Amino acid sequence: MEVRLQSRSSAVIGLSELGERVTRLAAGERLTITGIGVDEIRQALTTSQAERPALILPTGRSTEVILRQLIDDLAELALGCWPRWYGQDCVKPDGLPVLPTGRSDVSAPWFRAASKRAAAGYAPVFRRIARSIAFTQLMRAIGPHDPILVALIDPVDAARAAPLIQVLEWCAGQGASVVALFPSRPAAVPPFERLLYGAIAVVATAEPLLTRFIAPTGQAHHASLIEQRVAAALQQDGELGPLFACNQTVALGGYGNPRVDLLWRDGRIVVELDGPEHQADPNFANDRHRDYELLVAGHLVLRITNQQVSTDLQAAVEKIRMVVRFRQSTLNIQS
């Protein structure tokens, strides 16, 4: 997938660049992206091989419910990281907790209480301390880099979106890097308008026609005139017509189920009709690899170029006939 950042540039960029843009967010910085959801942002961060973690915010009917669940989530993550907090080991050789070095932003009282609970196997959650302290200390403990907080916000239902937007703004106010995702651009009305300034609109590039068209089983691809010509010639041939079907899938076990141009299933013969786009990599290399997969699965592969069909269709048919007769002789198949 590729995306276009409409608000800043007309250039098409990949998901890895989008992921890098997100991971470069500074403390307290907020980014709004419209046109994608959680799956796309996850793919973007994965593709960019970001070292910085991200957390999808929980949803809820109120700000209080969401914040409570967020603190619980961060505490569970911190428990899973213990004893490696802040990107360093926080226990002495004798097993006792030790404050991280070079971290003036770590609360010593919180660390002592939290490390004691984590060492005992409990999530470091303390309901009586200020929520802002719990939030910032847990965010820092999870790793050397604070996680990016990502919220998927309903672009239509303002009442449903409002609590999540408030939580996102609160987190940014505590110094977190936050990302607001809208599957589609919402109207510039409360509470959405607060997030829309400087928003990035992401537009997925359209897939090529041939990848969006699903050909009927057993028929030549509507967009391939060459396949139609060869299929028609084979159908008119008394010997070859009953054998071949067009656009068939071939089960190759662990190699998948590729679709081939022409297939004689019983005789395990595959005929591929190659246009000029198959003469260079990556198509050329991909074709050779698929030929290998078909070969080890017991299929003979005959490749005929579109130019050969256009120049002498009957010669192409005769090539297919000779391969069929060779196969029949080796497998003792009667025509």
Side-chain angles (χ1 to χ4, degrees):
M1 174 184 177
E2 291 182 322
V3 295
R4 182 180 298 109
L5 304 188
Q6 288 186 321
S7 64
R8 304 289 179 86
S9 170
S10 60
V12 175
I13 68 170
L15 283 176
S16 60
E17 288 89 344
L18 180 61
E20 291 170 2
R21 186 164 189 157
V22 170
T23 56
R24 288 198 302 266
L25 289 173
E29 188 176 359
R30 185 176 64 193
L31 177 65
T32 299
I33 307 174
T34 65
I36 63 173
V38 171
D39 289 342
E40 289 82 3
I41 199 67
R42 180 182 287 113
Q43 185 180 354
L45 293 172
T46 302
T47 304
S48 67
Q49 298 182 337
E51 296 181 358
R52 193 175 180 186
L55 175 63
I56 309 300
L57 291 184
T59 58
R61 291 176 294 179
S62 69
T63 302
E64 176 65 26
V65 169
I66 298 173
L67 279 174
R68 180 181 287 266
Q69 184 59 56
L70 173 59
I71 296 296
D72 288 346
D73 289 346
L74 292 172
E76 287 295 330
L77 290 173
L79 175 61
C81 295
W82 176 260
R84 190 164 182 81
W85 283 359
Y86 318 102
Q88 54 187 281
D89 291 329
C90 291
V91 292
K92 298 178 181 179
D94 59 7
L96 294 177
V98 57
L99 274 167
T101 58
R103 294 295 299 256
S104 60
D105 56 349
V106 175
S107 166
W110 181 89
F111 175 82
R112 285 193 292 268
S115 60
K116 183 177 180 179
R117 283 188 62 85
Y122 299 103
V125 177
F126 308 99
R127 299 299 184 194
R128 294 186 178 182
I129 69 171
R131 181 169 285 158
S132 59
I133 295 177
F135 174 78
T136 55
Q137 294 302 309
L138 286 168
M139 288 280 286
R140 292 164 186 164
I142 289 173
H145 307 290
D146 292 3
I148 303 159
L149 301 181
V150 180
L152 179 64
I153 303 175
D154 189 323
V156 177
D157 191 335
R160 183 179 180 184
L164 200 51
I165 292 175
Q166 292 171 3
V167 169
L168 209 62
E169 292 174 330
W170 182 87
C171 292
Q174 305 304 314
S177 304
V178 300
V179 176
L181 298 181
F182 290 97
S184 60
R185 186 178 179 87
V189 297
F192 303 116
E193 87 286 0
R194 303 200 301 269
L195 297 180
L196 292 180
Y197 178 77
I200 293 175
V202 175
V203 180
T205 55
E207 293 185 69
L209 170 62
L210 295 184
T211 65
R212 290 183 283 114
F213 178 78
I214 303 174
T217 302
Q219 297 183 20
H221 194 296
H222 84 294
S224 174
L225 296 178
I226 292 296
E227 285 184 37
Q228 290 181 6
R229 289 187 63 191
V230 175
L234 292 180
Q235 288 300 315
Q236 295 172 8
D237 189 288
E239 179 183 357
L240 302 178
L243 304 182
F244 284 92
C246 298
N247 283 298
Q248 298 292 298
T249 57
V250 183
L252 299 182
Y255 294 109
N257 302 288
R259 183 175 292 275
V260 299
D261 294 335
L262 293 162
L263 174 67
W264 176 25
R265 194 173 296 277
D266 291 341
R268 293 192 175 187
I269 290 180
V270 170
V271 179
E272 295 282 36
L273 304 171
D274 294 342
E277 70 276 8
H278 290 267
Q279 297 177 7
D281 286 336
N283 288 342
F284 184 86
N286 292 338
D287 289 343
R288 303 289 87 70
H289 182 71
R290 190 162 78 163
D291 290 351
Y292 154 75
E293 293 176 342
L294 289 163
L295 177 63
V296 297
H299 292 76
L300 289 180
V301 180
L302 172 63
R303 288 191 174 273
I304 302 175
T305 67
N306 289 2
Q307 182 62 38
Q308 290 172 327
V309 173
S310 299
T311 302
D312 193 338
L313 174 60
Q314 191 56 42
V317 172
E318 292 307 314
K319 285 185 177 182
I320 297 173
R321 189 188 316 279
M322 295 307 296
V323 173
V324 166
R325 290 178 177 176
F326 168 75
R327 190 62 152 176
Q328 289 171 335
S329 67
T330 57
L331 298 180
N332 293 320
I333 299 176
Q334 298 298 317
S335 59

